[in-house]
Amino acid sequence: MKASKKLVASLLTASLALGLAACGSDDASSGDDKETKLVVGASNVPHAEILEEAKPLLEKEGVDLEIKKYQDYVLPNKNLAEGEIDANYFQHQPYLDQQLKDNPDYDIVSAGGVHVEPMAVYSKKYKSLDELPDGATIIISNSVAEQGRILSLLEVNGLITLKEGVDKTAAVIKDIDKNPKNVKIEAKVSPEMLVQTYNNDEGDAIVINANYALDAGLKPTKDSIAIEDSNSDYVNVIAVNAKDKDNEAVKKLVDVLHSKEIQDFILEEWDGSVVPVDK
């Protein structure tokens, strides 16, 4: 009888202990998932590749990084604003500023800058901008947010000058003051289609965003006929909803992307076609 009572008591104790352990495990698991799961939307190259390199470093920090890849410049901010992703990494600050003007319902901010992708001019017909003939056609992105950057690149290389007093980050084609070669600048192609336009031999020169160029196997530092220098205002940022700017997982992501390991990876992988920053 005593043995039987002892057995029942032991079984009850073990059962209670297992129940408490299981309950505690479930709570911890669900809590960890909410706190450490981070879904980041990114362009294929170089953004997603940089995040892949950062993934094991973040895992050591207790952050489970999931990367969602995008091929366009509209959905990543839309999905972020709607809460489908926790952050995105594909855009520079002036583009984000323009997106916020165009979409006043967005409450998106930068959590930190990571790198600069120098904008570049490509041509299958000419080896330099100096070789472009009078009346040459230059095809650029139809994104208004990109025009100031592109026109500044053309101005730095002596092809055009912009009107005095114009904010160069916000300049558009009508802000051109002098155009000695009467080049025709056509903003008619979406950014993701510029490489195809280049491959189709359209125009005399084409200005292509570095991420799309790299994704297509072009190397901006070697294949372009003119390239933006690294002293640029167009830093690619980690963007989040304002309420998440101080989220610990987001802070860890930015810290890891600013780490020596990741910055060295960027320099070695792209040899100047992507330039890391720490701001």
Side-chain angles (χ1 to χ4, degrees):
M1 186 73 174
K2 285 182 179 179
S4 178
K5 285 181 179 179
K6 284 182 180 179
L7 179 60
V8 170
S10 297
L11 288 171
L12 284 171
T13 301
S15 176
L16 180 61
L18 284 170
L20 289 171
C23 180
S25 175
D26 287 346
D27 288 346
S29 175
S30 62
D32 284 348
D33 283 346
K34 288 178 183 176
E35 290 173 8
T36 64
K37 183 81 170 179
L38 195 64
V39 182
V40 181
S43 299
N44 283 343
V45 181
H47 308 80
E49 293 184 1
I50 293 170
L51 291 176
E52 287 289 356
E53 191 72 14
K55 198 169 183 176
L57 299 177
L58 280 166
E59 192 174 350
K60 291 177 184 176
E61 297 292 326
V63 177
D64 178 15
L65 177 64
E66 179 182 329
I67 304 162
K68 183 175 180 179
K69 296 180 182 180
Y70 288 86
Q71 291 284 359
D72 74 290
Y73 284 175
V74 176
L75 282 177
N77 281 329
K78 184 175 184 292
N79 288 169
L80 176 59
E82 292 172 348
E84 292 185 28
I85 56 177
D86 301 311
N88 68 45
Y89 176 34
F90 77 101
Q91 65 193 323
H92 53 62
Q93 187 63 54
Y95 181 81
L96 175 57
D97 293 340
Q98 185 64 47
Q99 284 279 292
L100 296 176
K101 287 179 184 177
D102 295 342
N103 300 277
D105 55 320
Y106 287 179
D107 191 18
I108 299 173
V109 298
S110 167
V114 183
H115 74 268
V116 173
E117 299 171 21
M119 184 77 77
V121 186
Y122 299 82
S123 176
K124 290 192 172 185
K125 302 172 183 176
Y126 305 100
K127 294 182 180 179
S128 72
L129 288 180
D130 290 339
E131 289 185 12
L132 290 180
D134 286 351
T137 298
I138 300 176
I139 299 173
I140 70 171
S141 165
N142 62 6
S143 169
V144 175
E146 298 283 358
Q147 286 188 21
R149 183 182 190 183
I150 294 166
L151 294 173
S152 295
L153 171 60
L154 299 180
E155 183 179 48
V156 165
N157 283 275
L159 202 61
I160 61 167
T161 57
L162 294 169
K163 293 174 184 175
E164 191 173 345
V166 167
D167 177 0
K168 294 187 178 182
T169 62
V172 292
I173 292 172
K174 67 180 182 181
D175 292 321
I176 294 174
D177 182 26
K178 295 179 181 177
N179 182 358
K181 286 192 171 183
N182 297 307
V183 294
K184 298 171 185 173
I185 300 175
E186 297 184 356
K188 66 177 187 178
V189 180
S190 59
E192 65 272 17
M193 297 301 294
L194 287 165
V195 170
Q196 184 174 322
T197 303
Y198 169 74
N199 288 335
N200 289 344
D201 246 350
E202 297 179 41
D204 295 295
I206 299 178
V207 186
I208 305 177
N209 307 65
N211 61 311
Y212 290 121
L214 291 166
D215 203 17
L218 292 170
K219 190 163 186 179
T221 50
K222 292 185 177 179
D223 297 326
S224 67
I225 62 172
I227 188 168
E228 185 180 40
D229 64 36
S230 59
N231 185 22
S232 171
D233 294 324
Y234 296 85
V235 176
N236 281 237
V237 301
I238 296 293
V240 296
N241 288 307
K243 65 182 178 64
D244 294 325
K245 186 173 182 181
D246 295 323
N247 178 284
E248 283 303 312
V250 170
K251 286 182 176 180
K252 287 177 180 178
L253 170 64
V254 173
D255 287 345
V256 164
L257 293 174
H258 286 168
S259 68
K260 187 175 186 301
E261 293 96 322
I262 297 302
Q263 296 210 338
D264 285 349
F265 167 74
I266 292 172
L267 289 170
E268 291 167 10
E269 185 73 12
W270 289 287
D271 192 26
S273 295
V274 181
V275 182
V277 301
D278 184 6
K279 60 181 179 179

